[in-house]
Amino acid sequence: MQNSNHYDVTAWPVGDPTTDIGAVINSIIADIKSRQTATDDGDGGRPGAVISIPPGDYHLRTQVVIDVSFLKIQGSGHGFTSSSIRFNVPEDEWPSLHELWPGGSRILVDLPLTGGESARDGAAFVVERQGSPRLSSVEFENFCIDGMHFVADGADLHPENTYVNGKTGIHVATPNDSFRVNGMGFVYLEHALTIHNTDALSIHDNFIAECGSCIELRGWGQASKVTDNLIGAGPRGHSIYAENHGGLLITANNVFPRGASSIHLAGVTRSSVTNNRLHSFYPGMVILTEGSSENLVASNHFLRDHEPWTPFLAIDNGRPDSYGLLRVDGSDNTIVSNHFSEVVDSQRVRPADQKPVIIRLVSGTGNSVSTNHVVAKDVHIQSNDSAFSAQVDALLTTDAAGRLNVTTVMVDPGSAGNTVLDSGTEDESVLDRTANAFRATPAIGS
């Protein structure tokens, strides 16, 4: 028996999904609402629906507005490929490339933007509904949202390297519960995924890269997770950002350069950042601000090195090396058993008269910092016109010119009553030993 709650965009009689899949999906949602009118029909009545997107290229010229619960939009492949690499290859070499564009079930965000639109107005998918109850169980799975091009922003950069175009992949504007974003691909969007006021959200197993900002959890939220994603933002944006959340789990993510930060938590409490692999070209990799407290930051691998790819050599996030790779403004956080590799050229440390700082506590009290391992090397990195070979060569090179002098833990005067154990030698640790408990890592020969 055919299920009337399962739709295929290519079989829907209204509109053409290849020219405007947005209009097609809106028409399907209108059909769902017209048929599922009863709120209580035999202990049911509104089961929702599944909208399937077969492999193919689908322009989106009309914004999709989702205001029903229990809706799943699913494709047949996240289709990610690097647009950044392609756009930085000379155009006369394009004919020799096997692929030029992302694939799978690919939605091309082709909204008629004129500039100056809000993140909501530039979104391919807007999810919002006023009133009670909040929207529940909306799912996005296994398709690609492609912003196609970045645009010039007045900076001295190739337009395709600005990470700016006013486009957002998914924008959730109103309170929501048990949303899922799984197996998706996001590429060349100024904002990939922005979700406000969420409860029990799962962002899992997505490829979100070459976007200005990747994951933004705004407003407030609780009991959500960001797990097992591949993520890479632009130098002015966030890879993972969350504000005013409790019970947030961020784990097993592989965060690439070149986001301004890898993970930024603002006013986040009783949450976990664990078992992530974090790679950045800039200081300020993990930032806890606005009194973020009682969080666990454990068993993460931090790698800070230099940008090796020629088109982005002059770019940074504006922070000095003394800012800290992990910076904490908050109380009662536990920072334990993390590995830090600071692999940079000592001649490029800024400011030149200060050592790079690995862990910095700037305010708050009662933080526990223990058994963190810091490897600091002075290296001379070579740039390369090939993104892949440049980055792989840099990752695999472990030889160094010598040891880099760093401050492994710095506790500012504004932070006191902390415990710092086995995270740096006496000479590598800067803190008031009368205001904080301290045990140095034993030095060889001491």
Side-chain angles (χ1 to χ4, degrees), residues 3-7 31-33 35-51 68-72 136-139:
N3 187 341
S4 60
N5 294 322
H6 193 169
Y7 299 82
D31 183 72
I32 296 167
K33 293 165 68 175
R35 292 188 304 100
Q36 300 182 13
T37 58
T39 57
D40 186 8
D41 182 6
D43 298 327
R46 292 188 174 178
V50 174
I51 300 175
V68 294
S69 293
F70 319 124
L71 180 68
K72 182 174 186 176
S136 294
S137 301
V138 174
E139 302 181 52

Side-chain angles (χ1 to χ4, degrees), residues 26 41 58 62 155 166 172-173 192 213 225 230-232 267 366 395 404 431:
N26 283 339
D41 182 6
Y58 305 92
T62 301
V172 182
S213 288
K225 68 185 185 76
L230 297 151
I231 300 170
L395 283 172
L404 180 73
L431 70 163

Side-chain angles (χ1 to χ4, degrees), residues 113 117-119 121-123 151 163-168 189-191:
L113 303 179
E117 288 88 355
S118 67
D121 291 339
V151 298
Y163 293 88
V164 172
N165 59 13
K167 297 178 181 180
T168 299
L189 299 155
E190 187 167 342
H191 301 272

Side-chain angles (χ1 to χ4, degrees), residues 202-427:
S202 175
I203 301 174
H204 177 75
D205 194 26
N206 302 283
F207 206 117
I208 313 174
E210 297 177 5
C211 293
S213 288
C214 295
I215 297 172
E216 299 167 87
L217 306 183
R218 297 193 174 272
W220 47 259
Q222 66 168 349
S224 295
K225 68 185 185 76
V226 178
T227 56
D228 201 24
N229 301 284
L230 297 151
I231 300 170
R236 288 176 289 185
H238 301 289
S239 295
I240 301 172
Y241 173 83
E243 61 188 22
N244 305 319
H245 270 60
L248 177 63
L249 174 64
I250 301 174
T251 194
N253 299 285
N254 199 332
V255 182
F256 319 141
R258 55 188 61 83
S261 60
S262 301
I263 300 171
H264 186 154
L265 306 181
V268 171
T269 60
R270 302 183 179 116
S271 298
S272 297
V273 178
T274 58
N275 296 294
N276 299 283
R277 182 262 180 183
L278 310 172
H279 182 192
S280 180
F281 297 143
Y282 322 123
M285 295 178 65
V286 173
I287 305 172
L288 278 62
T289 61
E290 300 181 28
S292 292
S293 299
E294 298 180 50
N295 299 295
L296 173 66
V297 181
S299 301
N300 301 287
H301 188 287
F302 292 71
L303 170 61
R304 151 80 165 112
D305 60 3
H306 291 303
E307 170 72 72
W309 193 24
T310 303
F312 291 95
L313 289 179
I315 304 300
D316 65 27
N317 67 356
R319 295 186 181 117
D321 287 288
S322 56
Y323 186 87
L325 297 187
L326 170 57
R327 184 178 176 97
V328 177
D329 162 17
S331 299
D332 302 314
N333 298 288
T334 298
I335 300 164
V336 60
S337 298
N338 298 283
H339 177 100
F340 295 87
S341 289
E342 173 100 357
V343 186
V344 300
D345 186 340
S346 60
Q347 299 303 308
R348 295 171 61 180
V349 171
R350 297 292 179 271
D353 61 344
Q354 296 182 22
K355 297 177 183 178
V357 176
I358 307 302
I359 300 171
R360 185 164 183 175
L361 309 182
V362 295
S363 67
T365 186
N367 296 291
S368 176
V369 179
S370 65
T371 58
N372 297 283
H373 182 210
V374 176
V375 176
K377 294 183 178 182
D378 187 355
V379 298
H380 304 294
I381 299 296
Q382 301 297 316
S383 63
N384 195 314
D385 290 333
S386 168
F388 182 74
S389 63
Q391 294 182 17
V392 171
D393 288 348
L395 283 172
L396 296 180
T397 298
T398 58
D399 294 334
R403 179 177 175 273
L404 180 73
N405 290 321
V406 299
T407 297
T408 58
V409 180
M410 175 179 285
V411 181
D412 289 10
S415 182
N418 306 289
T419 300
V420 179
L421 306 174
D422 303 319
S423 295
T425 65
E426 286 276 358
D427 294 340

